[in-house]
Amino acid sequence: MVVGTPLGTMSIDRHVEVLVVGAGLSGIGAAHYLRTRLPEHSFAILEARDALGGTWDLFRYPGVRSDSDMHTLGYSFRPWAGDVALADGPSIKAYIEATARACGLESHIRFRHRALRAEWSSAQARWTVWVRVGDEPQPVAYTCRFLYLCSGYYDYAGGYQPDWPERDAFGGVFVHPQRWPEDLDYRDRRVVVIGSGATAVTLVPAMAREAAHVTMLQRTPTYIAAVPGRDAIARALYRLLPARLAHGAIRWKNVLLQMLFYNVMRRWPAQARARVKRMIHAELGERYRERDFDPPYDPWDQRFCLVPDGDLFAAIRTGDASIVTGEIERFTPSGLRLRSGEEIDADVVVSATGLNVRLMGGMELAIDGRTLRLNELVSYKGMMFCGVPNLALALGYTNASWTLKCELTSRYVCRVLAYMDRHGFAVCTPAEPGDEIAREPAIDLTAGYIRRAEPTLPKQGARAPWKLHQNYALDLASLRYGRVDDGVMRFARA
């Protein structure tokens, strides 16, 4: 485990040029680019938890794994070794830890440092970030020239939990995946997993290996597709080519396949829906029930679920798992009753009902004493906010690997800082779009967690550079090769 800087070290310099918030996948990547591309810039990483890894340290439920291939979810500068496509959570956490060690980032991490509020001073051209350190009652102040937020987009304190009638009447074990008990024993017990998203389709086959039976209870179906657990092309390329060249080829192959997969489904949704259903029917045979795999929305209106080697379908074929589509009427002492009148017995109920969106870990932003409201802000290039100086936010794609966009963002931040250094600027602020540019929701998904959070989320503009692309090629052109002084980004001296 990476140790980082201990609490109570009084020699810590609390002023740095770049302050990174979050030591997960995107935060460690950001730190690498700062260290290698701007070696003269000081930086620190604030991590609220006592270990790095972010999502991959938080989630401990059975079978937790990535839902993006590791050759694009992993870093371009430190290739994911091997042909495993969708890796398990512990392997990803170990990969992030090994990257931090290899890149010499341990001494820059401040564990148990939770950022509470960031205040920009125009007079001083710097941010003051108030930070809760461990259990200390009084926050301490860090200051920085540039603030880079890499804390993800959901609430680590707890996931979304519907208020079902008579839940307290249930006599078994009730658990949410975001707070998985280490001592939970579900061997030879009846399990009901409520949900149909990525967490549910991961949990069901993993728990079915030991449980008496696992039922996936869904209110609405999800698009699900089987993918190979190992990448045969990657295996061949690693045999034929030097490792770095092979990684680059595999990464681009997967990027292009992701883009093709997404755009074809969005262009021809009816044909895509029919094709997915035929594939699932072929997997399940006589156990296939169309109502369980017929979502009431088009492909990629919500995220698409991938299951390695069709493990979910294999569990259903063998009878170790099943899917029931219906709405919960109430809990009973022995399980659940549906509105259809059907009752499902359970010893363990897992509420895989999603997450709560919480941008920036709930940290407040203020400019010259005025607290900002996120839902009044407009994004710039999907990584900064109009009217907010010297601040960037790392957010990945919803239709491709998270790291692809986060790496582009980190490289762009370094480009902006280098440009400011060359020209003697202290401040960079994206300009607001004019009134003629329509505002749109920042994230074009109909998923429940996005809909619930929409009133609190920033907006985007209807066209570039205020438009949030879900397209790696367009972002590559804009963020890696586009002009920094594009006429929208405004620069100023101290």
Side-chain angles (χ1 to χ4, degrees):
M1 177 183 291
V2 177
V3 176
T5 301
L7 294 173
T9 302
M10 300 308 294
S11 62
I12 291 176
D13 182 0
R14 293 199 175 98
H15 176 78
V16 290
E17 291 186 75
V18 183
L19 190 62
V20 178
V21 179
L25 196 59
S26 51
I28 295 301
H32 161 80
Y33 283 106
L34 290 169
R35 188 172 186 273
T36 56
R37 301 198 171 200
L38 299 170
E40 70 282 4
H41 285 58
S42 60
F43 70 92
I45 310 169
L46 304 183
E47 171 52 51
R49 297 167 60 79
D50 57 8
L52 61 77
T55 297
W56 306 108
D57 177 65
L58 175 68
F59 288 121
R60 307 291 179 92
Y61 59 81
V64 57
R65 66 187 178 216
S66 67
D67 59 356
S68 300
D69 78 275
M70 287 306 302
H71 291 96
T72 55
L73 187 66
Y75 302 114
S76 62
F77 59 85
R78 193 169 188 273
W80 174 262
D83 59 357
V84 172
L86 305 183
D88 63 84
S91 296
I92 300 172
K93 175 176 165 59
Y95 168 75
I96 299 171
E97 290 178 338
T99 301
R101 286 194 299 270
C103 295
L105 303 176
E106 302 98 322
S107 62
H108 296 273
I109 304 172
R110 313 287 186 255
F111 290 122
R112 301 186 68 199
H113 279 55
R114 180 179 300 278
L116 305 175
R117 180 179 171 90
E119 302 176 359
W120 171 261
S121 167
S122 296
Q124 297 176 319
R126 72 179 187 182
W127 287 97
T128 298
V129 182
W130 295 98
V131 180
R132 177 84 67 198
V133 180
D135 298 323
E136 294 297 319
Q138 296 299 321
V140 300
Y142 275 77
T143 57
C144 64
R145 172 187 175 195
F146 195 96
L147 182 58
Y148 190 8
L149 306 176
C150 298
S151 50
Y153 66 98
Y154 64 89
D155 190 351
Y156 276 39
Y160 174 64
Q161 182 55 69
D163 186 17
W164 290 301
E166 300 183 46
R167 199 188 86 186
D168 292 341
F170 178 53
V173 177
F174 184 91
V175 61
H176 193 286
Q178 199 163 321
R179 292 182 175 274
W180 195 267
E182 291 184 8
D183 59 350
L184 178 60
D185 183 6
Y186 55 87
R187 288 175 296 178
D188 301 321
R189 305 179 80 183
R190 299 163 299 178
V191 177
V192 173
V193 176
I194 305 173
S196 58
T199 301
V201 302
T202 298
L203 274 165
V204 170
M207 298 184 77
R209 299 187 188 107
E210 297 185 12
H213 184 81
V214 180
T215 302
M216 188 170 95
L217 174 58
Q218 59 182 14
R219 184 175 60 183
T220 54
T222 299
Y223 288 100
I224 306 172
V227 295
R230 294 184 176 273
D231 188 333
I233 296 176
R235 185 164 57 246
L237 288 175
Y238 273 123
R239 285 201 306 263
L240 296 172
L241 299 174
R244 185 159 291 277
L245 187 60
H247 173 73
I250 297 162
R251 189 176 176 88
W252 267 109
K253 182 262 293 183
N254 290 348
V255 166
L256 295 174
L257 284 176
Q258 288 170 2
M259 291 172 59
L260 177 66
F261 180 67
Y262 175 78
N263 288 310
V264 165
M265 288 196 161
R266 295 301 276 176
R267 179 73 182 272
W268 296 287
Q271 294 89 333
R273 174 195 294 267
R275 174 61 175 163
V276 171
K277 286 160 66 173
R278 285 197 300 271
M279 292 171 63
I280 297 175
H281 195 174
E283 288 273 359
L284 296 181
E286 63 182 15
R287 292 186 181 270
Y288 175 80
R289 297 190 304 176
E290 184 171 12
R291 69 178 183 182
D292 295 330
F293 300 99
D294 189 23
Y297 53 86
D298 286 338
W300 281 110
D301 282 351
Q302 299 185 22
R303 282 186 67 96
F304 207 103
C305 289
L306 303 178
V307 291
D309 297 322
D311 59 2
L312 173 67
F313 304 132
I316 295 173
R317 282 198 309 269
T318 61
D320 294 329
S322 59
I323 296 180
V324 173
T325 303
E327 292 194 40
I328 297 171
E329 177 184 283
R330 59 184 172 85
F331 274 71
T332 68
S334 60
L336 306 98
R337 179 180 174 85
L338 307 185
R339 294 190 186 279
S340 64
E342 181 179 359
E343 295 200 9
I344 305 175
D345 290 335
D347 303 303
V348 178
V349 172
V350 182
S351 179
T353 45
L355 49 85
N356 291 316
V357 173
R358 196 181 190 205
L359 283 184
M360 308 184 302
M363 183 178 66
E364 292 183 341
L365 294 180
I367 296 179
D368 296 328
R370 179 177 61 89
T371 300
L372 303 181
R373 295 171 61 91
L374 281 182
N375 61 355
E376 295 176 353
L377 301 179
V378 178
S379 70
Y380 167 81
K381 295 189 175 182
M383 53 156 288
M384 298 180 77
F385 297 128
C386 297
V388 181
N390 291 26
L391 180 143
L393 177 69
L395 282 179
Y397 294 117
T398 59
N399 64 351
S401 291
W402 177 267
T403 313
L404 289 174
K405 176 63 182 291
C406 291
E407 281 201 332
L408 289 178
T409 299
S410 293
R411 289 172 172 174
Y412 184 81
V413 167
C414 291
R415 289 184 65 205
V416 169
L417 291 172
Y419 179 88
M420 292 167 67
D421 289 345
R422 289 196 303 272
H423 296 278
F425 294 124
V427 182
C428 63
T429 310
E432 296 275 359
D435 292 339
E436 74 280 4
I437 306 297
R439 270 63 164 175
E440 302 174 348
I443 302 176
D444 184 22
L445 282 181
T446 63
Y449 67 97
I450 298 297
R451 287 288 177 85
R452 291 192 299 272
E454 196 168 283
T456 68
L457 295 178
K459 303 294 190 293
Q460 63 174 324
R463 65 174 173 82
W466 302 281
K467 181 74 173 176
L468 175 63
H469 295 303
Q470 292 291 343
N471 185 299
Y472 180 71
L474 291 177
D475 282 334
L476 182 68
S478 172
L479 298 179
R480 192 167 180 181
Y481 300 111
R483 292 176 61 90
V484 170
D485 56 337
D486 60 358
V488 175
M489 181 74 83
R490 307 292 172 80
F491 294 95
R493 291 178 169 81

